[in-house]
Amino acid sequence: VFRRGGEVQADDVLFEASQLAWNDKGRSLAIEGLQMAGRASQQLSGDAVLPGMALTASLGRLQYADVASALELEVEGLSATDATLSADGEGPLRRFAAQLASGPVTVRQGDTALQIESFRTASGGMVSLDSYQVDSDVAVQRLSVATPALSNGPLSLAGLELDGLAITERIMADDVRLRGIALPGGLEETALRVAGVDLKGPDFDPAANRLTIDDITIDGLQTAVIRDQAGTWRHVMTPADAAAETGPSAPAGAVADGPGRDDPAIAGRLGGIRITGDSHVTLADQLNPDMQPLRYRIERVEVGEIDTARAGSDTPFALLLRPDQYSEFAIDGAARPLDEQLYFDATGH
């Protein structure tokens, strides 16, 4: 429909495709079971280049591959509901909103794989051809990461939630919550389990290569450190075959290859870290059969501000461990973890 005033409008848009495919110089995209329905309009005059629309869309499967980057992406059951683009005044900006949901997602790049059982987002913001502002709440269910650096098995999360995610020139969030973290160890006892991690106010500025986090709270951290019968101290990152922990050393003066070789170190500030909840570390010595494993309950771990811009400043810390109800190990002090010269000042009992 063409309306007076220079607007083209379609009140009933329907598009279906059983298969769509695209290939170009080592990159490919394949879509199965695509369905879109809704309405759309376009101003033929003025500054609004992007159309207005209200759409609902779904697809059965999306597959993308980039041979040069060794990247593969597969998404099943992707849907978008209440997706709208609407005019915001007379300028080129469009206000948008959408709710996205998916089934399983798999991302592979080289030897690293990320798998997600499902995700959902509720997003809104402003967009034009040359600018954007996105605000979202994101929830991910059942996430796992497998990479050669995690030799004992993949890192898994029961859930990941991002509240108030904002993407402009910076990437920010009000709150990031990770639930049900598990990382296997070379020994069953040295596995790491964390009930939850809460990051307050993460803010990344790509232009300055700077990350700031207001506060990190770790809840319910449980793991063990064990000396095995060969005399090797094992922790969560020790390989099942302890001899594999240290590979052949590089020749003197050699420089490791890889994309991160010349990358500048990221700057940042962390307001503080604390450990809460039912947290404990078990210490055991298999070389000493008379020594019973000791479980140290973590009553208090607090670390103050760490800032790369103030490497010479003190970072206060406090540690309180209890092996039983009658004993405790307490340390309070300050350190300079980023200073060129090691500084540590503490008292304890």
Side-chain angles (χ1 to χ4, degrees):
V1 176
F2 178 77
R3 298 184 180 277
R4 182 175 298 176
E7 180 184 29
V8 176
Q9 180 173 322
D11 292 327
D12 190 5
V13 176
L14 178 63
F15 180 82
E16 296 183 351
S18 59
Q19 289 186 331
L20 289 174
W22 167 81
N23 289 275
D24 177 53
K25 298 179 180 179
R27 295 174 296 171
S28 62
L29 175 68
I31 296 175
E32 299 177 5
L34 175 63
Q35 295 183 331
M36 291 193 301
R39 64 182 187 274
S41 63
Q42 177 64 59
Q43 292 285 344
L44 301 181
S45 60
D47 297 325
V49 178
L50 294 176
M53 64 178 65
L55 293 174
T56 296
S58 65
L59 56 85
R61 176 177 298 174
L62 180 150
Q63 294 174 301
Y64 174 78
D66 185 336
V67 175
S69 301
L71 175 66
E72 297 179 2
L73 166 68
E74 181 172 336
V75 183
E76 297 184 23
L78 181 63
S79 65
T81 57
D82 301 325
T84 60
L85 274 177
S86 57
D88 187 74
E90 299 297 327
L93 288 174
R94 291 287 190 178
R95 185 176 300 278
F96 83 92
Q99 297 186 41
L100 300 178
S102 85
V105 178
T106 302
V107 183
R108 292 187 178 89
Q109 186 165 32
D111 295 328
T112 299
L114 168 68
Q115 293 185 309
I116 294 172
E117 182 178 280
S118 64
F119 78 84
R120 56 181 174 80
T121 70
S123 301
M126 307 295 294
V127 63
S128 69
L129 288 181
D130 55 6
S131 66
Y132 58 89
Q133 176 184 336
V134 181
D135 298 294
S136 302
D137 291 332
V138 181
V140 176
Q141 298 294 322
R142 303 290 180 188
L143 180 150
S144 69
V145 179
T147 181
L150 303 176
S151 60
N152 297 318
L155 171 69
S156 63
L157 282 73
L160 168 65
E161 298 177 355
L162 297 91
D163 292 343
L165 175 65
I167 302 175
T168 55
E169 292 82 7
R170 292 153 49 195
I171 303 172
M172 303 169 285
D174 295 332
D175 196 6
V176 177
R177 296 185 299 275
L178 295 80
R179 299 183 291 103
I181 303 168
L183 180 62
L187 300 176
E188 181 178 354
E189 298 87 346
T190 61
L192 173 67
R193 297 177 180 85
V194 181
V197 176
D198 191 355
L199 291 80
K200 296 291 187 184
D203 183 342
F204 179 61
D205 184 348
N209 198 31
R210 180 174 174 84
L211 172 67
T212 62
I213 300 174
D214 293 338
D215 179 74
I216 297 178
T217 300
I218 302 171
D219 177 61
L221 182 151
Q222 300 178 1
T223 189
V225 178
I226 297 174
R227 185 164 70 163
D228 64 19
Q229 294 183 353
T232 300
W233 285 101
R234 293 177 172 268
H235 49 80
V236 64
M237 295 303 294
T238 307
D241 179 6
E245 184 176 14
T246 304
S249 59
V255 178
D257 292 329
R261 178 182 58 186
D262 298 322
D263 290 350
I266 188 170
R269 174 189 170 276
L270 173 59
I273 305 174
R274 58 194 178 103
I275 298 178
T276 63
D278 183 15
S279 298
H280 58 77
V281 175
T282 300
L283 182 65
D285 188 352
Q286 296 179 351
L287 274 181
N288 184 357
D290 296 328
M291 176 184 172
Q292 295 297 315
L294 292 176
R295 192 174 90 163
Y296 290 85
R297 180 175 178 82
I298 301 174
E299 292 284 346
R300 181 188 182 196
V301 170
E302 295 181 358
V303 179
E305 182 186 60
I306 301 173
D307 193 336
T308 58
R310 302 170 61 238
S313 299
D314 288 354
T315 295
F317 67 88
L319 172 67
L320 176 60
L321 304 178
R322 292 188 185 276
D324 55 54
Q325 61 179 332
Y326 305 107
S327 306
E328 69 176 29
F329 297 94
I331 300 175
D332 292 88
R336 298 173 187 168
L338 303 180
D339 201 0
E340 292 182 358
Q341 293 185 343
L342 178 64
Y343 174 84
F344 182 86
D345 182 17
T347 58
H349 63 272

